[in-house]
């Protein structure tokens, strides 16, 4: 079922989502060649706890960490560990929080040092596709309008849209109905109504759209070994205009001052 939220609940959800954005900004400060992914996880976990919230992913379905950290051809659900980031990598950092019973869920893909130009554009265009999807996230539109906006934009560049993983409703549960695919046809699927909150999260591959799961039971990677980008915002459905609950503002302040 779809859970509809009151305005007061959406404001709590906004606080949770903003904390995710602030946490990702703390992570952004230390992303550089040589840093271990487990260090990023520790920084995020401490920051969330210091702010009186709880990590949303740790223990979820048995996931062992606060962040999902996915490098290069890893699409999502990578587990932080001893791996050191290196110059030219890209790293998707997905973070969840629980604040007063509500989840925030947002992700950003970072460049480590200088990356190849085609990889840089993959990131820029994936982020742009997220905002194009968000434009469709208003009462009266359908989830297919969101998917279509994302898919039609990125396929222009020959990129692959991951099919096996999708966006979702978000609220008191990390994953609620409806599913929000990053592909679709205009005017199809679940109708968006005031009070819904959804996480829109394009996962876009430089090459083929197919993905495989590692033997660790978590990490999803591209089947052709080419890089993948991932950006995610939480959005409240309102009349007339989308209301983005999460933010990249704090992250991008850090990146612009690096
Ligand atoms: Mg996420
Ligand atoms: Mg999500």
């Amino acid at each position: 079922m779809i859970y509809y939220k009151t305005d007061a609940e959406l404001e709590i959800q906004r606080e949770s989502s903003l904390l995710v954005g602030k946490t990702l900004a703390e992570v952004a400060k230390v992303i550089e060649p040589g840093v271990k992914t487990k260090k990023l996880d520790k920084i995020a976990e401490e920051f969330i706890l210091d702010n009186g919230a709880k990590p949303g992913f740790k223990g979820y379905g048995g996931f062992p960490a606060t962040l999902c950290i996915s490098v290069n051809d890893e699409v999502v659900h990578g587990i932080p560990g001893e791996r050191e980031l290196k110059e030219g990598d890209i790293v998707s950092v997905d973070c969840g929080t629980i604040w007063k019973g509500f989840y925030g869920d947002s992700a950003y893909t970072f460049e480590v040092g200088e990356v190849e130009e085609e990889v840089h554009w993959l990131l820029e265009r994936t982020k742009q596709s997220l905002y194009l999807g968000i434009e469709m996230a208003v009462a009266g539109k359908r989830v297919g309008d969101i998917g279509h906006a994302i898919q039609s934009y990125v396929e222009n560049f020959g990129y692959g849209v991951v099919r096996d993983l999708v966006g979702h409703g978000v609220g008191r549960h990390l994953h609620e109905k409806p599913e929000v695919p990053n592909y679709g046809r205009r005017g199809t699927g679940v109708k968006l109504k005031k009070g819904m909150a959804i996480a829109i999260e394009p996962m876009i591959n430089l090459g083929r759209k197919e993905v495989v799961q590692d033997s660790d039971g978590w990490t999803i990677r591209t089947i052709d070994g080419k890089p993948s980008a991932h950006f995610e915002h939480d959005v409240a459905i309102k009349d007339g205009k989308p209301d983005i609950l999460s933010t990249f503002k704090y992250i991008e302040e850090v990146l612009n001052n690096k």
Side-chain angles (χ1 to χ4, degrees), residues 190-206:
V190 171
K191 195 175 213 173
L192 301 173
K193 292 183 188 156
K194 194 170 177 300
M196 289 169 68
I198 56 174
I200 304 177
E201 50 177 317
M203 289 155 260
I204 307 298
N205 300 344
L206 186 61

Side-chain angles (χ1 to χ4, degrees), residues 167-186:
H168 50 90
V170 60
R172 289 190 184 274
H173 307 274
L174 179 57
H175 295 118
E176 300 181 354
K177 294 287 174 196
E179 291 194 342
V180 184
N182 300 299
Y183 54 92
R185 286 191 296 124
R186 269 193 201 117

Side-chain angles (χ1 to χ4, degrees), residues 218-234:
W218 284 104
T219 312
I220 305 289
R221 65 176 73 234
T222 59
I223 201 164
D224 60 10
K226 291 190 177 172
S228 182
H230 177 216
F231 290 84
E232 178 178 26
H233 270 316
D234 300 331

Side-chain angles (χ1 to χ4, degrees), residues 17 21 59 77 158 218:
S17 300
H77 302 169
W218 284 104

